[in-house]
Amino acid sequence: MTTRSKAAAARRALLLDILNHGALALVALLFLFPFFWMVSNAVRSNAEVLAIPVRLLPTVFEWDNFAKAWTEQPFGRFFLNSFIIAASVTAITVVVSCLSGYAFARLKFPGRDLLLMGYLGTLMVPGIMLIIPLYLIINSLGMVNTFQGVILPVAFGTFGSFLLRQFFLSIPNELEEAARVDGASRLRILVSIIVPLSMPAIGLLSLFTFIAQWNNFLWPLIVMTGAENATLPVGLTLFQTQQSTAWNYIMAGATLSMLPGIVLAILLQKLIYNSIALNAGMGGR
């Protein structure tokens, strides 16, 4: 290949690289625009939110909307309620998923595969169809307007068990066999070997579960009553009245409600990367 042809190939590769990065940047902007629009409406007056023509940036930045949204409604209580529910559901889901995922991946018992198929079949049932039966059960148990009534029905899902089962299957059996030779029990193997090597999957499951419950609206709305028991998504609706809707406060509250999920994603991202490096070093496949 001549020097001229090499230069032409390099220019084509550079042009292709620029086009690829430009397309990725455009897609990223499309995904980020709703978040930009939320923050933009959070720092303007309610009249300007509804003004025509629409402006991308406010004429006057009203940063005190965040403080007003926090004090207008008991936002601190909303945050606490959402955190209690999301953290509790996440903890229960991780524990149950680790135990059930290990049983489906490592233990051999009659009907295991058939039970797994039936277990996965529950993923095909739309969650909205379970609202009325679950509410009747919670009501009969006297758990309406309690944290238990919100947490327990959604804490035992199928997705986490299937996710961790698939990850457990990728861990070499030799590690477990060596531990059993040393006298370790099944539970000790799970806690000391399987779980540390599975932190990437456990981190993702924790992140997905926490954010899903943090943003859950319908079930807390049905079970909980009163502003003192409202979660963040439910609490944001209190800015809507028959007379008016404070859209700027709703956007400010929504912006504040995103912060815990962003922080958790950043923290777990580092954990997942470190765990992947550890798993690779231990010979996982």
Side-chain angles (χ1 to χ4, degrees):
M1 182 179 293
T2 63
T3 304
R4 180 175 298 179
S5 60
K6 289 182 180 180
R11 286 194 296 269
R12 287 194 298 269
L14 178 61
L15 179 60
L16 183 60
D17 193 45
I18 292 174
L19 292 176
N20 289 335
H21 282 79
L24 290 174
L26 180 60
V27 172
L29 289 175
L30 291 175
F31 276 95
L32 290 175
F33 181 78
F35 300 100
F36 162 78
W37 188 241
M38 177 181 65
V39 177
S40 178
N41 284 326
V43 293
R44 66 178 76 193
S45 65
N46 200 47
E48 192 173 358
V49 172
L50 303 174
I52 302 295
V54 176
R55 297 174 59 92
L56 288 179
L57 294 175
T59 54
V60 178
F61 288 84
E62 300 187 2
W63 298 103
D64 59 340
N65 284 347
F66 295 101
K68 291 179 180 178
W70 187 276
T71 56
E72 186 78 12
Q73 299 290 344
F75 245 76
R77 185 65 188 179
F78 298 161
F79 261 86
L80 180 61
N81 293 341
S82 291
F83 180 80
I84 291 174
I85 292 173
S88 300
V89 172
T90 301
I92 295 174
T93 298
V94 169
V95 172
V96 172
S97 298
C98 285
L99 294 172
S100 58
Y102 180 76
F104 283 126
R106 297 301 199 200
L107 302 185
K108 295 181 180 180
F109 53 88
R112 183 191 66 176
D113 295 337
L114 183 62
L115 180 60
L116 178 61
M117 291 299 102
Y119 205 57
L120 294 178
T122 60
L123 291 173
M124 306 300 175
V125 181
I128 195 67
M129 295 181 61
L130 304 177
I131 293 295
I132 295 177
L134 284 177
Y135 180 80
L136 294 176
I137 295 173
I138 292 301
N139 186 45
S140 65
L141 295 175
M143 292 185 180
V144 173
N145 204 29
T146 64
F147 285 121
Q148 301 96 301
V150 179
I151 293 169
L152 293 179
V154 297
F156 301 90
T158 305
F159 172 75
S161 300
F162 178 70
L163 174 67
L164 294 188
R165 172 190 178 270
Q166 297 303 110
F167 197 90
F168 290 167
L169 289 174
S170 68
I171 298 176
N173 287 323
E174 292 78 8
L175 296 175
E176 186 171 348
E177 292 172 357
R180 294 190 66 184
V181 169
D182 291 337
S185 63
R186 290 284 188 180
L187 184 59
R188 180 63 182 272
I189 292 171
L190 174 62
V191 174
S192 301
I193 299 177
I194 303 298
V195 168
L197 294 177
S198 304
M199 288 308 295
I202 293 175
L204 287 176
L205 177 61
S206 301
L207 179 62
F208 291 160
T209 304
F210 186 90
I211 292 178
Q213 296 307 315
W214 184 266
N215 296 326
N216 194 4
F217 172 77
L218 184 58
W219 184 241
L221 175 66
I222 293 174
V223 176
M224 293 293 200
T225 59
E228 68 280 359
N229 294 323
T231 57
L232 271 171
V234 178
L236 289 176
T237 63
L238 299 179
F239 288 112
Q240 293 179 297
T241 63
Q242 293 182 349
Q243 290 76 26
S244 63
T245 299
W247 292 109
N248 54 342
Y249 291 170
I250 291 177
M251 294 297 103
T255 303
L256 292 174
S257 69
M258 290 179 56
L259 297 180
I262 294 174
V263 172
L264 183 63
I266 294 173
L267 294 177
L268 288 182
Q269 183 183 39
K270 183 178 180 180
L271 173 65
I272 290 170
Y273 287 158
N274 291 339
S275 299
I276 291 175
L278 174 63
N279 196 21
M282 291 294 292
R285 58 179 183 269

